[in-house]
């Protein structure tokens, strides 16, 4: 049975009066529940983070179910992804979050989910990108003002070595308005704050779902 991780350490004990930290935790908890309701974080998959105005990074602990999060399931890491409280264990993919925060100071939240659509599409006929075009919802992404355009979502091969994966992602940073997909794994999306990140995640997942349905329809119509 999954057990809710307990907050530990001096910082966890004194954060009750830290309003900014509490708001970050609330945002992460709410995002986890929303993502779980939509089937984007099955089992203990996915991770969620927020960068506070003072530079602190709050991120989900390793191994917790995102649909049952509370403040105890959130911990602090430094800009290099190391636990601030010794002995605490952040998400295995923390380095991909801190990479984004280091790249752009305007980023305030990062979301990673494992949807059926992103997993299947990245394994089927998507060598290095999924191209979305003709959809009205594309306008949720920065720089998109019309459906009459294309949005390229890069697909990177999965790698259990997160530091090595980050070096592959790095050259494309700044040119991925819709986020990116890790093959057979899931999506990474970010925004200036949690509401914007969630809007972009929902937009991307909607479009990936549309694309998967279109391909299934085309396959079913083939002689």
């Amino acid at each position: 049975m999954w057990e809710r991780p307990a907050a530990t350490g001096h910082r966890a004990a004194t954060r009750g009066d830290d309003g900014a930290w509490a708001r970050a935790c609330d945002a992460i908890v709410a995002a986890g529940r929303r993502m779980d309701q939509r089937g984007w974080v099955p089992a203990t998959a996915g991770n969620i983070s927020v960068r506070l105005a003072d530079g602190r990074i709050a991120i989900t602990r390793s191994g917790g179910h995102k649909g049952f999060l509370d403040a105890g399931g959130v911990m602090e890491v430094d800009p290099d992804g190391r636990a601030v409280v010794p002995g605490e264990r952040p998400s295995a993919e923390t380095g991909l979050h801190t990479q984004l925060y280091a790249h752009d100071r305007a980023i305030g939240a990062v979301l990673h989910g494992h949807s059926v659509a992103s997993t299947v599409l990245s394994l089927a006929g998507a060598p290095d990108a999924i191209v979305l075009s003709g959809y009205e919802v594309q306008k949720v992404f920065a720089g998109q003002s019309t459906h009459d355009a294309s949005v390229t979502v890069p697909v990177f091969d999965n790698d259990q070595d997160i530091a090595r994966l980050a070096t592959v992602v790095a050259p494309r940073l700044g040119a991925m308005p819709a986020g990116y997909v890790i093959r057979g794994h899931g999506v990474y999306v970010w925004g200036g704050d949690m509401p914007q990140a969630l809007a972009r995640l929902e937009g991307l997942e909607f479009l990936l779902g549309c694309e998967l349905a279109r391909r299934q329809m085309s396959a079913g119509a083939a002689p």
Side-chain angles (χ1 to χ4, degrees):
M1 178 182 293
W2 174 79
E3 296 182 357
R4 194 184 309 280
T8 59
H10 175 71
R11 284 176 176 264
T14 60
R15 279 184 178 141
D17 296 327
D18 187 340
W21 180 263
R23 288 189 293 274
C25 289
D26 287 348
I28 289 173
V29 168
R33 291 174 182 169
R34 192 171 182 86
M35 292 168 70
D36 178 51
Q37 289 168 356
R38 286 156 176 74
W40 299 337
V41 282
T44 60
N47 36 73
I48 306 166
S49 70
V50 167
R51 177 164 54 182
L52 283 69
D54 61 11
R56 288 180 292 168
I57 298 172
I59 192 166
T60 46
R61 298 177 187 272
S62 177
H65 193 297
K66 306 310 174 293
F68 300 102
L69 281 174
D70 62 14
V74 181
M75 59 174 288
E76 183 181 348
V77 296
D78 67 18
D80 294 318
R82 295 185 293 260
V84 169
V85 176
E88 293 191 331
R89 184 184 173 197
S91 168
E93 296 170 34
T94 297
L96 298 178
H97 290 246
T98 56
Q99 177 185 47
L100 287 162
Y101 292 131
H103 169 72
D104 186 350
R105 291 188 176 186
I107 294 174
V110 179
L111 300 171
H112 170 49
H114 295 232
S115 69
V116 171
S118 65
T119 302
V120 173
L121 285 172
S122 64
L123 289 169
D128 57 10
I130 299 168
V131 180
L132 305 168
S133 60
Y135 297 105
E136 181 70 14
V137 176
Q138 290 170 201
K139 294 193 292 185
V140 73
F141 306 123
Q144 302 298 308
S145 59
T146 175
H147 70 283
D148 192 19
S150 296
V151 176
T152 299
V153 184
V155 177
F156 301 104
D157 289 335
N158 198 10
D159 193 335
Q160 300 305 308
D161 185 328
I162 298 303
R164 183 168 59 199
L165 177 57
T167 66
V168 177
V169 172
R172 303 292 297 274
L173 291 174
M176 299 186 287
Y180 64 85
V181 176
I182 301 175
R183 195 180 311 280
H185 186 153
V187 302
Y188 267 89
V189 174
W190 50 91
D193 55 19
M194 186 62 80
Q196 185 178 68
L198 276 170
R200 290 177 176 174
L201 176 63
E202 291 180 8
L204 178 58
E205 290 292 2
F206 172 79
L207 293 171
L208 292 175
C210 289
E211 194 66 20
L212 179 60
R214 287 178 63 181
R215 296 187 188 189
Q216 290 171 333
M217 290 173 62
S218 296

